[in-house]
Amino acid sequence: MSLLAHGVGSQHDLPISPFYAYAGAFTALLVSFLALGLLWSDSRFRGDRSGLALPGALQRLADARPTRTALRALGAAGLLAVVLWLLLGPDDAQENPAPGAVYVLLWVGLAPASLLFGPVGRLCNPMRALYSLASRLVPSLLLPSRRRPLSTRLGIRPAAAGLLVFTWLELVAPDPASATALLLFLAAHTAVQLLGAARYGPEWYARADPFEVYSGLLARLSPFGRRADGRLVLRNPLHGLDATPPAPGLVAAVCVLLGSTAYDGFSDSPRWITTVQTSSLGPTPTATLGLLAAVALVAALYCLCAGALRLLNRALSHPLTAFAHSLLPIALGYLVAHYFSLFVTEGPRTVMVALGTDNAPAPAPPLTPGGLAALQVAAIVTGHVLGVVAAHDRSVRLFPPDRAVAGQLPLFVLMIAYTLGGIGLLIA
């Protein structure tokens, strides 16, 4: 299962000079920071007020009830297929398409799908389809009068917790590709989501479904989105990023994405493998602590940065969430760097196995090792540069003009730390 659980190769697979990688990344960030400070003095992003309206026919098709029903039915069919493969398919993970469907097509594939088409996790969420079916079969259990209002203080914290559970299953669990592990996860996930929706209504999914929230966050960088008036538009992705709601739990969700990807990067190193295998605690508890430590380190660095921002501007009432959106391009860069090769090789192989191809081989990687290394470094650097741009625009909006540039120095230092750490996981 190591091939499914880890998307980045080992050191000898990435022939790249550490000096040029670090120097190039630092130069790109520094030039971006200086150029923005000199040329970008006013906020330019308009959030959900921006975008070129798409044709009305396309909007009507996207909003049509048959379209929404078909997409949810597609998601439900995918869930049913995975369950049947787990129950009736072969025990060998290489011959059963279920592990690849969950870890590659769903988890990794949600990223490009959300970037291209918007919040597909919401549109194809099988939990919403099951909820709709249950509301028709047993309407007395799901009456609006039985629902409890969701506290705004909850935010998306349940989804952040769900993301942590799933990444633990993927990266830490002793046998994440086994039918037992996946069936237990799917059963627990379905129970939590349906019980939550029964108590709080379908808005529960937007707060607590980890895959829907994950897709929705990445969809902020999609060129397709909706204005505040609900109109479907073509937009600058950075405008969509600026419209990210500063919900409680946003920082936690992004830190889980960053920290778990970072853990995936160093968990294949010989030193960590030896530590896990020789630990007196046992492999699983040690790996669990490693994953939690990676997430905690990412979160601690961001919290220190937020504290410094508050010291520079006492009027900044919510420093943690004010700039959390700028971490999303960084998380996306990490995802591309660590999972690109996994997706383009294991994704097609999973589809071939699902179609009944015996002993389906994984396609050859589309890039040479050098090309893959360049793509991974470029993805990390590009993500951080976009993060710097998003943070700068928010800074000139929130800080007085004479402190707009100096006020974002803590964020710039944080971006450098994340960049060097991300590149270090690739080449160290």
Side-chain angles (χ1 to χ4, degrees), residues 335-386:
L335 289 169
V336 172
H338 286 268
Y339 294 112
F340 171 81
S341 60
L342 175 71
F343 184 67
V344 298
T345 56
E346 285 298 313
R349 195 193 72 82
T350 298
V351 173
M352 288 188 289
V353 173
L355 294 176
T357 304
D358 293 330
N359 299 318
L367 299 174
T368 64
L372 177 61
L375 172 67
Q376 291 175 316
V377 173
I380 289 177
V381 174
T382 300
H384 284 81
V385 169
L386 293 178

Short mmCIF file of all heavy atoms in Angstrom, two decimals, residues 335-386:
data_model
loop_
_atom_site.label_atom_id
_atom_site.label_comp_id
_atom_site.label_asym_id
_atom_site.label_seq_id
_atom_site.Cartn_x
_atom_site.Cartn_y
_atom_site.Cartn_z
N LEU A 335 0.22 19.70 -2.32
CA LEU A 335 -0.54 18.56 -2.85
C LEU A 335 -0.06 18.19 -4.25
O LEU A 335 0.11 17.01 -4.56
CB LEU A 335 -2.03 18.90 -2.87
CG LEU A 335 -2.73 18.98 -1.51
CD1 LEU A 335 -4.12 19.58 -1.67
CD2 LEU A 335 -2.82 17.61 -0.86
N VAL A 336 0.16 19.19 -5.10
CA VAL A 336 0.65 18.91 -6.45
C VAL A 336 2.04 18.28 -6.38
O VAL A 336 2.32 17.28 -7.07
CB VAL A 336 0.68 20.21 -7.28
CG1 VAL A 336 1.37 19.96 -8.62
CG2 VAL A 336 -0.73 20.72 -7.52
N ALA A 337 2.90 18.84 -5.55
CA ALA A 337 4.28 18.34 -5.48
C ALA A 337 4.34 16.90 -5.00
O ALA A 337 5.12 16.10 -5.50
CB ALA A 337 5.11 19.24 -4.56
N HIS A 338 3.50 16.55 -4.04
CA HIS A 338 3.61 15.24 -3.41
C HIS A 338 2.73 14.17 -4.06
O HIS A 338 2.98 12.98 -3.87
CB HIS A 338 3.29 15.34 -1.93
CG HIS A 338 4.38 15.97 -1.13
ND1 HIS A 338 5.38 15.26 -0.52
CD2 HIS A 338 4.65 17.28 -0.87
CE1 HIS A 338 6.21 16.08 0.09
NE2 HIS A 338 5.79 17.30 -0.10
N TYR A 339 1.71 14.58 -4.81
CA TYR A 339 0.78 13.58 -5.30
C TYR A 339 0.62 13.55 -6.81
O TYR A 339 -0.16 12.75 -7.33
CB TYR A 339 -0.60 13.78 -4.66
CG TYR A 339 -0.61 13.52 -3.18
CD1 TYR A 339 -0.81 14.55 -2.27
CD2 TYR A 339 -0.40 12.23 -2.68
CE1 TYR A 339 -0.81 14.32 -0.91
CE2 TYR A 339 -0.40 11.99 -1.33
CZ TYR A 339 -0.60 13.04 -0.44
OH TYR A 339 -0.58 12.80 0.91
N PHE A 340 1.34 14.39 -7.54
CA PHE A 340 1.19 14.41 -8.99
C PHE A 340 1.52 13.06 -9.61
O PHE A 340 0.73 12.49 -10.38
CB PHE A 340 2.07 15.50 -9.61
CG PHE A 340 2.13 15.44 -11.11
CD1 PHE A 340 1.11 15.98 -11.88
CD2 PHE A 340 3.21 14.84 -11.77
CE1 PHE A 340 1.15 15.92 -13.26
CE2 PHE A 340 3.26 14.77 -13.15
CZ PHE A 340 2.22 15.31 -13.90
N SER A 341 2.69 12.52 -9.28
CA SER A 341 3.10 11.26 -9.89
C SER A 341 2.17 10.12 -9.49
O SER A 341 1.90 9.21 -10.28
CB SER A 341 4.55 10.93 -9.53
OG SER A 341 4.70 10.81 -8.12
N LEU A 342 1.68 10.15 -8.25
CA LEU A 342 0.74 9.12 -7.81
C LEU A 342 -0.54 9.17 -8.63
O LEU A 342 -1.05 8.14 -9.08
CB LEU A 342 0.42 9.33 -6.33
CG LEU A 342 -0.65 8.42 -5.72
CD1 LEU A 342 -0.13 7.01 -5.58
CD2 LEU A 342 -1.12 8.96 -4.39
N PHE A 343 -1.06 10.37 -8.86
CA PHE A 343 -2.34 10.51 -9.55
C PHE A 343 -2.25 10.08 -11.01
O PHE A 343 -3.14 9.38 -11.51
CB PHE A 343 -2.82 11.96 -9.46
CG PHE A 343 -4.18 12.19 -10.05
CD1 PHE A 343 -5.31 11.64 -9.48
CD2 PHE A 343 -4.33 12.95 -11.20
CE1 PHE A 343 -6.56 11.84 -10.03
CE2 PHE A 343 -5.58 13.16 -11.76
CZ PHE A 343 -6.69 12.60 -11.17
N VAL A 344 -1.18 10.47 -11.70
CA VAL A 344 -1.10 10.19 -13.13
C VAL A 344 -0.68 8.76 -13.41
O VAL A 344 -0.77 8.30 -14.56
CB VAL A 344 -0.13 11.17 -13.83
CG1 VAL A 344 -0.61 12.59 -13.70
CG2 VAL A 344 1.29 11.03 -13.29
N THR A 345 -0.22 8.02 -12.42
CA THR A 345 0.13 6.61 -12.64
C THR A 345 -0.92 5.68 -12.03
O THR A 345 -1.47 4.82 -12.71
CB THR A 345 1.52 6.29 -12.06
OG1 THR A 345 1.56 6.64 -10.67
CG2 THR A 345 2.60 7.05 -12.80
N GLU A 346 -1.21 5.87 -10.74
CA GLU A 346 -2.16 4.99 -10.07
C GLU A 346 -3.61 5.28 -10.44
O GLU A 346 -4.46 4.40 -10.40
CB GLU A 346 -1.99 5.08 -8.55
CG GLU A 346 -0.77 4.35 -8.04
CD GLU A 346 -0.83 2.85 -8.34
OE1 GLU A 346 -1.88 2.23 -8.09
OE2 GLU A 346 0.18 2.33 -8.82
N GLY A 347 -3.90 6.53 -10.81
CA GLY A 347 -5.27 6.85 -11.20
C GLY A 347 -5.74 6.04 -12.41
O GLY A 347 -6.77 5.34 -12.35
N PRO A 348 -5.01 6.09 -13.54
CA PRO A 348 -5.41 5.27 -14.70
C PRO A 348 -5.41 3.77 -14.41
O PRO A 348 -6.27 3.04 -14.90
CB PRO A 348 -4.36 5.64 -15.76
CG PRO A 348 -3.90 7.00 -15.38
CD PRO A 348 -3.92 7.02 -13.88
N ARG A 349 -4.44 3.32 -13.59
CA ARG A 349 -4.41 1.89 -13.27
C ARG A 349 -5.65 1.48 -12.48
O ARG A 349 -6.22 0.40 -12.71
CB ARG A 349 -3.14 1.55 -12.48
CG ARG A 349 -2.85 0.05 -12.42
CD ARG A 349 -1.81 -0.26 -11.38
NE ARG A 349 -2.35 -0.12 -10.03
CZ ARG A 349 -3.06 -1.06 -9.42
NH1 ARG A 349 -3.34 -2.21 -10.03
NH2 ARG A 349 -3.53 -0.86 -8.20
N THR A 350 -6.08 2.34 -11.56
CA THR A 350 -7.30 2.05 -10.80
C THR A 350 -8.51 1.94 -11.71
O THR A 350 -9.36 1.05 -11.55
CB THR A 350 -7.53 3.14 -9.74
OG1 THR A 350 -6.44 3.15 -8.83
CG2 THR A 350 -8.81 2.90 -8.98
N VAL A 351 -8.60 2.84 -12.69
CA VAL A 351 -9.71 2.79 -13.63
C VAL A 351 -9.67 1.50 -14.44
O VAL A 351 -10.71 0.85 -14.67
CB VAL A 351 -9.69 4.02 -14.56
CG1 VAL A 351 -10.74 3.90 -15.65
CG2 VAL A 351 -9.91 5.30 -13.75
N MET A 352 -8.47 1.10 -14.88
CA MET A 352 -8.36 -0.13 -15.66
C MET A 352 -8.76 -1.35 -14.83
O MET A 352 -9.44 -2.26 -15.33
CB MET A 352 -6.93 -0.27 -16.18
CG MET A 352 -6.58 0.69 -17.29
SD MET A 352 -4.97 0.33 -18.06
CE MET A 352 -3.85 0.84 -16.75
N VAL A 353 -8.36 -1.38 -13.57
CA VAL A 353 -8.76 -2.49 -12.70
C VAL A 353 -10.26 -2.49 -12.50
O VAL A 353 -10.91 -3.55 -12.52
CB VAL A 353 -8.02 -2.41 -11.35
CG1 VAL A 353 -8.54 -3.46 -10.37
CG2 VAL A 353 -6.52 -2.59 -11.55
N ALA A 354 -10.84 -1.32 -12.33
CA ALA A 354 -12.29 -1.23 -12.14
C ALA A 354 -13.05 -1.72 -13.38
O ALA A 354 -14.16 -2.25 -13.26
CB ALA A 354 -12.69 0.20 -11.82
N LEU A 355 -12.45 -1.55 -14.56
CA LEU A 355 -13.09 -1.99 -15.80
C LEU A 355 -12.84 -3.46 -16.09
O LEU A 355 -13.27 -3.97 -17.13
CB LEU A 355 -12.59 -1.13 -16.96
CG LEU A 355 -12.99 0.35 -16.91
CD1 LEU A 355 -12.37 1.11 -18.07
CD2 LEU A 355 -14.50 0.51 -16.91
N GLY A 356 -12.11 -4.13 -15.20
CA GLY A 356 -11.92 -5.56 -15.35
C GLY A 356 -10.64 -6.00 -15.99
O GLY A 356 -10.48 -7.19 -16.32
N THR A 357 -9.69 -5.10 -16.18
CA THR A 357 -8.41 -5.47 -16.78
C THR A 357 -7.59 -6.27 -15.78
O THR A 357 -7.36 -5.84 -14.66
CB THR A 357 -7.62 -4.21 -17.19
OG1 THR A 357 -8.42 -3.43 -18.08
CG2 THR A 357 -6.32 -4.59 -17.89
N ASP A 358 -7.15 -7.45 -16.18
CA ASP A 358 -6.36 -8.31 -15.30
C ASP A 358 -4.90 -7.85 -15.26
O ASP A 358 -4.30 -7.55 -16.31
CB ASP A 358 -6.41 -9.76 -15.78
CG ASP A 358 -7.80 -10.36 -15.64
OD1 ASP A 358 -8.52 -9.92 -14.73
OD2 ASP A 358 -8.16 -11.23 -16.45
N ASN A 359 -4.35 -7.79 -14.05
CA ASN A 359 -2.94 -7.42 -13.86
C ASN A 359 -2.61 -6.11 -14.58
O ASN A 359 -1.62 -6.00 -15.29
CB ASN A 359 -2.02 -8.53 -14.36
CG ASN A 359 -2.24 -9.82 -13.59
OD1 ASN A 359 -2.40 -9.82 -12.38
ND2 ASN A 359 -2.27 -10.94 -14.32
N ALA A 360 -3.47 -5.13 -14.39
CA ALA A 360 -3.27 -3.85 -15.08
C ALA A 360 -2.01 -3.18 -14.57
O ALA A 360 -1.88 -2.93 -13.36
CB ALA A 360 -4.47 -2.94 -14.84
N PRO A 361 -1.07 -2.87 -15.45
CA PRO A 361 0.15 -2.19 -15.00
C PRO A 361 -0.09 -0.69 -14.87
O PRO A 361 -0.93 -0.12 -15.56
CB PRO A 361 1.14 -2.49 -16.14
CG PRO A 361 0.26 -2.57 -17.35
CD PRO A 361 -1.05 -3.17 -16.89
N ALA A 362 0.65 -0.07 -13.97
CA ALA A 362 0.57 1.38 -13.86
C ALA A 362 1.26 2.01 -15.06
O ALA A 362 2.32 1.55 -15.48
CB ALA A 362 1.25 1.85 -12.57
N PRO A 363 0.65 3.02 -15.69
CA PRO A 363 1.29 3.68 -16.83
C PRO A 363 2.64 4.25 -16.44
O PRO A 363 2.89 4.58 -15.27
CB PRO A 363 0.30 4.78 -17.21
CG PRO A 363 -1.00 4.36 -16.61
CD PRO A 363 -0.65 3.61 -15.36
N ALA A 364 3.51 4.38 -17.42
CA ALA A 364 4.81 4.98 -17.17
C ALA A 364 4.64 6.45 -16.79
O ALA A 364 3.75 7.14 -17.32
CB ALA A 364 5.69 4.86 -18.42
N PRO A 365 5.44 6.96 -15.86
CA PRO A 365 5.34 8.38 -15.50
C PRO A 365 5.51 9.27 -16.71
O PRO A 365 6.37 9.01 -17.57
CB PRO A 365 6.48 8.56 -14.50
CG PRO A 365 6.74 7.19 -13.96
CD PRO A 365 6.48 6.26 -15.10
N PRO A 366 4.71 10.33 -16.84
CA PRO A 366 4.81 11.20 -18.01
C PRO A 366 6.05 12.09 -18.00
O PRO A 366 6.36 12.70 -19.02
CB PRO A 366 3.53 12.03 -17.95
CG PRO A 366 3.21 12.07 -16.49
CD PRO A 366 3.64 10.76 -15.93
N LEU A 367 6.73 12.20 -16.86
CA LEU A 367 7.89 13.05 -16.74
C LEU A 367 9.11 12.25 -16.35
O LEU A 367 9.01 11.23 -15.66
CB LEU A 367 7.65 14.16 -15.69
CG LEU A 367 6.49 15.13 -15.96
CD1 LEU A 367 6.31 16.05 -14.77
CD2 LEU A 367 6.72 15.93 -17.23
N THR A 368 10.26 12.70 -16.77
CA THR A 368 11.51 12.12 -16.32
C THR A 368 11.72 12.51 -14.86
O THR A 368 11.07 13.44 -14.35
CB THR A 368 12.68 12.63 -17.16
OG1 THR A 368 12.80 14.06 -16.96
CG2 THR A 368 12.46 12.34 -18.64
N PRO A 369 12.64 11.83 -14.15
CA PRO A 369 12.90 12.24 -12.76
C PRO A 369 13.26 13.72 -12.63
O PRO A 369 12.82 14.39 -11.70
CB PRO A 369 14.05 11.32 -12.35
CG PRO A 369 13.83 10.10 -13.17
CD PRO A 369 13.32 10.59 -14.49
N GLY A 370 14.07 14.22 -13.58
CA GLY A 370 14.41 15.63 -13.53
C GLY A 370 13.21 16.52 -13.76
O GLY A 370 13.05 17.56 -13.10
N GLY A 371 12.35 16.14 -14.70
CA GLY A 371 11.15 16.92 -14.97
C GLY A 371 10.20 16.90 -13.79
O GLY A 371 9.57 17.92 -13.46
N LEU A 372 10.09 15.74 -13.13
CA LEU A 372 9.24 15.65 -11.95
C LEU A 372 9.77 16.53 -10.83
O LEU A 372 9.00 17.22 -10.15
CB LEU A 372 9.17 14.20 -11.49
CG LEU A 372 8.38 13.93 -10.20
CD1 LEU A 372 6.93 14.36 -10.36
CD2 LEU A 372 8.48 12.47 -9.80
N ALA A 373 11.10 16.53 -10.64
CA ALA A 373 11.69 17.37 -9.60
C ALA A 373 11.41 18.84 -9.86
O ALA A 373 11.06 19.60 -8.96
CB ALA A 373 13.20 17.11 -9.52
N ALA A 374 11.55 19.25 -11.15
CA ALA A 374 11.30 20.65 -11.50
C ALA A 374 9.84 21.01 -11.25
O ALA A 374 9.53 22.09 -10.74
CB ALA A 374 11.67 20.89 -12.96
N LEU A 375 8.92 20.10 -11.60
CA LEU A 375 7.50 20.35 -11.37
C LEU A 375 7.21 20.50 -9.89
O LEU A 375 6.46 21.39 -9.47
CB LEU A 375 6.67 19.21 -11.96
CG LEU A 375 5.17 19.25 -11.64
CD1 LEU A 375 4.51 20.46 -12.31
CD2 LEU A 375 4.49 17.97 -12.06
N GLN A 376 7.78 19.64 -9.07
CA GLN A 376 7.50 19.67 -7.64
C GLN A 376 8.01 20.97 -7.00
O GLN A 376 7.31 21.60 -6.21
CB GLN A 376 8.12 18.45 -6.98
CG GLN A 376 7.42 17.15 -7.36
CD GLN A 376 8.11 15.93 -6.80
OE1 GLN A 376 9.33 15.82 -6.84
NE2 GLN A 376 7.34 15.00 -6.27
N VAL A 377 9.23 21.36 -7.34
CA VAL A 377 9.76 22.61 -6.80
C VAL A 377 8.94 23.79 -7.31
O VAL A 377 8.61 24.71 -6.55
CB VAL A 377 11.25 22.77 -7.16
CG1 VAL A 377 11.76 24.15 -6.75
CG2 VAL A 377 12.07 21.69 -6.49
N ALA A 378 8.59 23.78 -8.61
CA ALA A 378 7.79 24.88 -9.17
C ALA A 378 6.42 24.96 -8.49
O ALA A 378 5.92 26.06 -8.23
CB ALA A 378 7.63 24.68 -10.67
N ALA A 379 5.82 23.82 -8.19
CA ALA A 379 4.50 23.83 -7.54
C ALA A 379 4.59 24.46 -6.16
O ALA A 379 3.74 25.27 -5.77
CB ALA A 379 3.96 22.40 -7.45
N ILE A 380 5.61 24.08 -5.40
CA ILE A 380 5.75 24.63 -4.05
C ILE A 380 6.03 26.12 -4.10
O ILE A 380 5.42 26.92 -3.37
CB ILE A 380 6.87 23.88 -3.30
CG1 ILE A 380 6.41 22.46 -2.96
CG2 ILE A 380 7.27 24.63 -2.03
CD1 ILE A 380 7.46 21.62 -2.29
N VAL A 381 6.95 26.54 -4.98
CA VAL A 381 7.30 27.97 -5.07
C VAL A 381 6.10 28.78 -5.56
O VAL A 381 5.79 29.85 -5.02
CB VAL A 381 8.51 28.17 -5.99
CG1 VAL A 381 8.78 29.65 -6.21
CG2 VAL A 381 9.75 27.51 -5.38
N THR A 382 5.40 28.28 -6.58
CA THR A 382 4.24 29.01 -7.11
C THR A 382 3.16 29.16 -6.05
O THR A 382 2.56 30.23 -5.90
CB THR A 382 3.67 28.28 -8.34
OG1 THR A 382 4.67 28.19 -9.34
CG2 THR A 382 2.46 29.03 -8.89
N GLY A 383 2.92 28.10 -5.30
CA GLY A 383 1.93 28.18 -4.23
C GLY A 383 2.28 29.24 -3.20
O GLY A 383 1.41 30.00 -2.75
N HIS A 384 3.56 29.33 -2.86
CA HIS A 384 3.97 30.33 -1.87
C HIS A 384 3.94 31.74 -2.44
O HIS A 384 3.58 32.69 -1.72
CB HIS A 384 5.38 30.00 -1.35
CG HIS A 384 5.40 28.87 -0.37
ND1 HIS A 384 5.37 27.56 -0.75
CD2 HIS A 384 5.43 28.86 0.99
CE1 HIS A 384 5.40 26.78 0.32
NE2 HIS A 384 5.43 27.55 1.38
N VAL A 385 4.28 31.90 -3.70
CA VAL A 385 4.20 33.23 -4.31
C VAL A 385 2.75 33.70 -4.34
O VAL A 385 2.45 34.87 -4.02
CB VAL A 385 4.80 33.21 -5.73
CG1 VAL A 385 4.48 34.51 -6.47
CG2 VAL A 385 6.31 33.02 -5.66
N LEU A 386 1.83 32.83 -4.72
CA LEU A 386 0.41 33.20 -4.70
C LEU A 386 -0.05 33.51 -3.28
O LEU A 386 -0.87 34.41 -3.06
CB LEU A 386 -0.43 32.08 -5.29
CG LEU A 386 -0.25 31.81 -6.79
CD1 LEU A 386 -1.11 30.64 -7.23
CD2 LEU A 386 -0.59 33.06 -7.60
#
